[in-house]
Amino acid sequence: METVAMNQIEKKKLHPHKFTLWVAIASILMMFAGLTSAFIVKSNLVGWKDIEIPGIFWVSTGVILVSSLTIQMALRSFRQREMSQYRLLMGITFVLGTLFVILQWIGFNKLWDQGIQFSGSAGAGQFLYVIFGAHALHVIGGIVALAIMFVKAFFGKIKLYSAVPVEVMSTYWHFVDILWLYLLVFFLIIG
Amino acid sequence: MSEALHVHHDTAVGHDVHHDDHGHHHQSFISKYIFSMDHKTIGKQFLITGIVWAIIGGLFSVLFRLQLGFPGQSFPILETFFGHWAKGGTIQPEFYYALVTMHGTVLVFFVLTAGLSGTFSNFLIPLQIGARDMASPLMNMLSYWFFFMASIIMISSLFIQTGPASGGWTMYPPLSALGQASDGSKLGADLWLISMALFIVSQLLAGLNYISTILNMRTKGMSMTRMPLTIWALFFTAVLGVLSFPVLLSGAVLLLFDRNLGTSFFLSDIVVNGQILPNEGGSAILFQHLFWFLGHPEVYIILLPAMGMCSEVLSVNSRKPIFGYMAMLGSMFAIAILAFLVWAHHMFVTGLNPFLGSVFVLLTLLIAVPSAIKVFNWLTTLWRGNIRFTPAMLFAIGFVSLFISGGLTGIFLGNSTIDIHLHDTMFVIAHFHIVMGVASMFGMFAGIYHWFPKMFGRYLNNTLAYFHFWVTIIGAYLIFWPMHYEGLAGMPRRYLDKSIWVSFNQFGSLDQMITIVTVIVFAVQLMFVFNFFYSIFKGRKVTSTNPWGATTLEWTTPILPGHGNWTGEIPEVHRWPYDYGKDGREFIPQTEPIGANESKH
Ligand code: HEM
Ligand SMILES: [Cu+2]
């Protein structure tokens, strides 16, 4: 009876959790809109210093793009009930996500060693740490969620083959991916 | 994030099955009252925490009013309580600024945001749209506990050696960014920022939940335009919060960096105590933009729930349909949009480009249009109604009065030319206390008096309630009306002692009067708090499910609904919520099907 009710509702409109995610995405976007518009305002003031984006951020871009692909494939395998493939792909996504964060960290260190640091006068570098850092935190949030789902897929007994959690997860993952592309392009053009 | 992903399906949709008459699973005290996921309990938690905060924040204003009414006079009792903050019984400058800052912070965020929308969104949304609970009860619970943690941190900042933040509730850098500049900008400011960050998380969790509950979980027949205006107001409130709080969060994060890591987001070319700081290229105005981009929507976050609840209370107690339901919706929508487009009216004197300024003047004055529409509709709802002057009704009428008085002065301030004279004077204090502070408080009181029977199954004491109303409305006007004159004369806000200005000496006795009334009004609020807690346990019991003869769904639940709200099926809705005085009937509940030869509304 419960499942019947649920299916009806799912057909009728967006599942509440997916909907909540979309509103959350709007909310997160507002935060980055705030940060990037602060960047634009400040880049017109005196004492501004531009930076060169370290090449390693291109590598991390590649990594996160591939991870979007793997999570999409994971979702497809889940829908086709190919659970071992689903687990494998989730695992790969998890590893790629983690790799992405590590690469970002290395990128930060490269910049830091070039003398772009927190203290002193303003510049794109200070914004880069904050903005890319905030983005990385959102990726880490996704990684934690991924890890939980991954563990559940191994040990939990799946009673209900509902694709909703996986769909929510993958939507969020694509979102942080696209957000990253936006931020990178932003820094390339305006930074 | 992970919370959103794995929430249980049972609470979300088909809970019907295991809710028979009394068969409720046994809960421990902790899961029933402390870590509860029942939206009604969470609403009450927000309410009671809000009341505690209101007492603290209100007390702060009494203390700094003592200084403003009787500058330099010694009140030995203050030293007993506050030690070196009130050396010799007079309020010390650092203490004064801490009090002003904390009063603003506490009242704006902790009382009128969390306490008001937190309470009533939680309590009313599921009950009025016909849902068993929120879309995600877990997120809902987390939102309260984030708020609670924010509260603990904010309170702890009151007890540290250097005191709490004291640069004003708007926290403008550079003052708030530099520990050398004032005691309040030391640890207190960090705690303020951390507490606010947690607070923002709490508001986001809450807002997400309110929005998806309203859009996804309405009962059968409850189309969007059959929702009570309260729900619409709470919906717009949540949308404003979800889109504006993240921007404040970004400002707070940047400020934390400037404070602790030496960055220059907001700092440039500063000399403090003869010491030249290395920061360059930062912009203090940038913070003001980030702050007011939240700050202005925030004032409507505070006001909209009050507007919604008063619409409801006015209609129920006039025994008449609300006048202009669609116009009310339209104007709330317009307000929600415009709220994002007027923030720079707080910044007319920052050296804003005058052309840009005039755009903001125009947009600001536009807000007066939907505001006036709402006022017109409330007054027309009252017009020739069979008015029942219940305490809730009195507070709702008081709300309309205050909103008119305070809205009119907004039009003065919205003109940048006049604002250059009035900015940062007591005129602004008068404006926003009347239109936002007191008006929203009145909305909150209206809500409490109206829904207390639903919350606790008992009534508040009426005699005390009437006394509460009359003293509060007369007191509020006595306190804030004269401030207009002070401000027009140029008296600045936030000053510790203005007695060296000869021209302001004429206001000496006026300020004393204001302070004395403040003390009285505060005492009467304590009486309300007594009434509140006393009535929870000892109030007259509610004996019918629908004591006010209202049409909305919450009155179709049992007198004290359990988790899940309705014992049987969730009722189906057949009509809008304002069928009062129709076809010779006093009211027709929303659950009643449309009759064969019923007239249209
Ligand atoms: C007709 C509509 C309104 C107009 C045109 C208006 C205009 C203004 C302007 C121009 C200021 C800046 C004054 C200054 O600092 O020099 C101001 C301050 C303020 N207004 Fe309004 N206002 C209106 C309604 C409201 C409403 C409905 C609320 C609250 C619900 C509100 C809350 C505030 C607050 C809190 C401040 C002062 C914040 C601070 O500086 O600490 N206003 N208003
Ligand atoms: Cu404003």
Side-chain angles (χ1 to χ4, degrees):
Chain A
M1 144 123 207
E2 230 177 292
T3 27
V4 176
M6 259 189 45
N7 288 340
Q8 277 166 356
I9 286 199
E10 250 169 79
K11 257 179 226 133
K12 213 168 60 195
K13 51 190 170 194
L14 209 57
H15 189 278
H17 296 156
K18 281 192 220 163
F19 185 83
T20 309
L21 178 72
W22 282 108
V23 185
I25 285 176
S27 180
I28 296 171
L29 275 179
M30 284 306 287
M31 186 174 105
F32 284 94
L35 289 169
T36 44
S37 42
F39 183 104
I40 295 174
V41 171
K42 284 240 332 192
S43 61
N44 295 318
L45 301 177
V46 287
W48 179 258
K49 279 189 280 202
D50 283 340
I51 49 158
E52 189 82 18
I53 305 268
I56 189 147
F57 286 120
W58 289 106
V59 184
S60 63
T61 308
V63 170
I64 200 165
L65 280 175
V66 175
S67 75
S68 250
L69 207 67
T70 54
I71 199 159
Q72 193 58 33
M73 286 157 64
L75 176 60
R76 210 185 52 197
S77 341
F78 186 91
R79 287 205 180 115
Q80 294 165 348
R81 302 280 180 276
E82 290 167 7
M83 291 318 280
S84 59
Q85 204 178 348
Y86 161 72
R87 276 183 295 239
L88 177 70
L89 285 163
M90 287 298 261
I92 296 176
T93 313
F94 174 83
V95 172
L96 289 174
T98 317
L99 184 62
F100 173 81
V101 175
I102 295 172
L103 287 170
Q104 299 296 85
W105 182 250
I106 298 176
F108 289 163
N109 280 321
K110 286 222 159 115
L111 272 177
W112 192 269
D113 294 339
Q114 287 171 26
I116 295 164
Q117 298 181 356
F118 287 148
S119 57
S121 79
Q126 293 180 355
F127 269 104
L128 186 140
Y129 292 125
V130 173
I131 294 178
F132 286 7
H135 174 262
L137 282 180
H138 284 85
V139 177
I140 291 174
I143 294 176
V144 172
L146 258 182
I148 295 172
M149 295 184 81
F150 187 66
V151 171
K152 274 198 181 155
F154 262 105
F155 300 107
K157 275 178 273 157
I158 300 174
K159 289 176 234 118
L160 189 76
Y161 274 92
S162 161
V164 173
V166 194
E167 281 165 2
V168 169
M169 182 70 237
S170 72
T171 309
Y172 179 74
W173 198 259
H174 295 320
F175 162 66
V176 288
D177 183 356
I178 293 167
L179 179 62
W180 167 251
L181 291 180
Y182 159 67
L183 294 175
L184 186 71
V185 170
F186 180 88
F187 267 84
L188 286 175
I189 294 176
I190 302 180
Chain B
M1 227 26 258
S2 59
E3 307 318 334
L5 312 177
H6 321 271
V7 200
H8 358 273
H9 298 281
D10 54 345
T11 15
V13 225
H15 219 147
D16 303 42
V17 226
H18 28 214
H19 274 284
D20 290 315
D21 287 17
H22 11 248
H24 203 70
H25 18 254
H26 289 282
Q27 289 177 308
S28 68
F29 178 81
I30 295 210
S31 69
K32 187 152 177 212
Y33 294 106
I34 314 278
F35 293 108
S36 170
M37 295 204 208
D38 182 345
H39 70 100
K40 298 184 291 302
T41 309
I42 296 175
K44 291 176 204 167
Q45 289 173 328
F46 270 108
L47 179 57
I48 289 173
T49 318
I51 289 177
V52 172
W53 269 123
I55 298 172
I56 298 175
L59 182 68
F60 288 168
S61 69
V62 171
L63 293 174
F64 68 68
R65 266 319 307 183
L66 285 179
Q67 165 63 24
L68 290 175
F70 307 92
Q73 188 162 325
S74 168
F75 302 92
I77 185 164
L78 293 182
E79 188 167 14
T80 325
F81 280 109
F82 301 106
H84 73 278
W85 291 109
K87 214 186 301 147
T90 51
I91 287 174
Q92 299 299 304
E94 283 292 349
F95 189 35
Y96 174 81
Y97 289 112
L99 287 172
V100 177
T101 304
M102 283 296 126
H103 168 74
T105 306
V106 165
L107 264 300
V108 168
F109 293 111
F110 290 66
V111 178
L112 290 176
T113 303
L116 179 55
S117 89
T119 301
F120 290 101
S121 299
N122 270 305
F123 192 76
L124 292 180
I125 289 174
L127 282 173
Q128 286 201 334
I129 65 170
R132 299 258 178 231
D133 206 317
M134 287 287 176
S136 164
L138 179 66
M139 267 167 74
N140 210 20
M141 179 185 84
L142 286 175
S143 115
Y144 176 75
W145 287 103
F146 270 100
F147 168 53
F148 189 81
M149 278 192 290
S151 298
I152 295 290
I153 293 180
M154 197 58 91
I155 290 199
S156 72
S157 81
L158 300 175
F159 294 100
I160 59 178
Q161 182 64 32
T162 48
S166 57
W169 77 280
T170 52
M171 218 47 190
Y172 285 173
L175 177 58
S176 62
L178 301 170
Q180 321 69 317
S182 99
D183 269 354
S185 302
K186 295 194 169 81
L187 181 57
D190 284 322
L191 293 175
W192 191 97
L193 288 167
I194 295 166
S195 165
M196 282 309 297
L198 292 172
F199 181 84
I200 291 169
V201 173
S202 140
Q203 288 307 303
L204 294 178
L205 288 171
L208 287 178
N209 222 344
Y210 303 154
I211 294 173
S212 68
T213 307
I214 292 174
L215 291 184
N216 295 299
M217 303 188 54
R218 299 187 310 276
T219 182
K220 190 151 175 246
M222 179 64 86
S223 62
M224 291 297 273
T225 47
R226 282 183 184 163
M227 296 197 310
L229 285 175
T230 322
I231 300 300
W232 270 107
L234 295 170
F235 175 71
F236 284 120
T237 306
V239 172
L240 287 181
V242 161
L243 296 181
S244 64
F245 269 115
V247 179
L248 179 65
L249 184 62
S250 64
V253 169
L254 296 182
L255 188 53
L256 271 173
F257 268 74
D258 271 8
R259 291 181 48 76
N260 297 306
L261 299 171
T263 50
S264 309
F265 293 112
F266 305 126
L267 303 175
S268 187
D269 308 308
I270 294 171
V271 183
V272 196
N273 301 329
Q275 180 203 352
I276 302 171
L277 301 185
N279 307 82
E280 232 184 87
S283 162
I285 307 290
L286 178 61
F287 182 84
Q288 298 195 16
H289 281 295
L290 293 175
F291 183 88
W292 286 114
F293 189 84
L294 157 90
H296 189 86
E298 167 69 12
V299 305
Y300 282 98
I301 291 173
I302 288 173
L303 195 67
L304 279 167
M307 287 179 156
M309 291 192 295
C310 287
S311 304
E312 198 78 8
V313 170
L314 285 170
S315 172
V316 173
N317 291 297
S318 312
R319 314 310 285 151
K320 272 181 63 189
I322 192 85
F323 187 87
Y325 178 88
M326 287 315 265
M328 286 298 220
L329 280 193
S331 45
M332 278 197 275
F333 184 69
I335 286 176
I337 302 275
L338 285 172
F340 282 110
L341 304 175
V342 299
W343 77 91
H345 66 212
H346 296 273
M347 300 168 60
F348 285 142
V349 298
T350 54
L352 192 74
N353 175 335
F355 174 72
L356 204 60
S358 61
V359 173
F360 278 102
V361 170
L362 181 71
L363 291 166
T364 300
L365 296 182
L366 272 181
I367 276 210
V369 177
S371 309
I373 294 177
K374 295 195 75 86
V375 168
F376 178 79
N377 288 345
W378 287 319
L379 295 179
T380 332
T381 304
L382 285 170
W383 180 252
R384 310 186 91 179
N386 277 324
I387 299 183
R388 295 185 309 207
F389 289 102
T390 61
M393 182 61 163
L394 287 177
F395 275 102
I397 295 172
F399 166 85
V400 176
S401 155
L402 290 158
F403 182 66
I404 296 172
S405 323
L408 287 176
T409 55
I411 297 178
F412 288 54
L413 295 169
N415 291 283
S416 55
T417 36
I418 306 180
D419 186 59
I420 291 173
H421 178 60
L422 293 175
H423 178 67
D424 262 348
T425 65
M426 296 304 279
F427 191 94
V428 177
I429 302 289
H431 159 66
F432 76 77
H433 276 86
I434 292 181
V435 74
M436 175 183 78
V438 188
S440 303
M441 269 297 179
F442 269 52
M444 185 154 170
F445 287 134
I448 294 175
Y449 282 109
H450 192 74
W451 279 288
F452 193 88
K454 189 79 258 164
M455 290 180 177
F456 300 104
R458 291 173 189 269
Y459 294 98
L460 286 154
N461 179 301
N462 260 352
T463 319
L464 291 183
Y466 289 125
F467 189 68
H468 177 214
F469 169 75
W470 286 109
V471 175
T472 312
I473 182 111
I474 295 171
Y477 273 116
L478 282 178
I479 292 169
F480 293 113
W481 197 264
M483 291 185 187
H484 292 111
Y485 304 119
E486 297 183 339
L488 285 169
M491 188 194 269
R493 69 194 272 203
R494 289 184 173 146
Y495 275 39
L496 171 75
D497 187 353
K498 301 150 200 158
S499 44
I500 42 165
W501 267 292
V502 183
S503 57
F504 297 147
N505 285 348
Q506 52 168 327
F507 294 120
S509 48
L510 193 64
D511 267 330
Q512 289 178 5
M513 185 276 289
I514 294 179
T515 299
I516 291 166
V517 178
T518 307
V519 174
I520 296 171
V521 171
F522 181 68
V524 170
Q525 305 315 306
L526 292 182
M527 186 202 77
F528 163 77
V529 175
F530 166 77
N531 189 1
F532 182 87
F533 286 105
Y534 181 83
S535 303
I536 290 180
F537 302 104
K538 293 278 159 66
R540 190 162 52 91
K541 276 199 169 150
V542 177
T543 48
S544 81
T545 50
N546 191 357
W548 309 125
T551 57
T552 39
L553 288 182
E554 75 272 31
W555 306 106
T556 62
T557 60
I559 292 179
L560 272 177
H563 197 172
N565 297 340
W566 285 269
T567 41
E569 297 239 322
I570 303 182
E572 189 181 333
V573 166
H574 298 279
R575 58 179 74 235
W576 79 326
Y578 297 106
D579 274 338
Y580 292 102
K582 187 179 180 194
D583 295 343
R585 287 178 63 188
E586 208 191 329
F587 70 99
I588 312 178
Q590 279 191 283
T591 48
E592 196 176 305
I594 305 273
N597 29 16
E598 204 178 308
S599 58
K600 286 207 148 196
H601 61 250

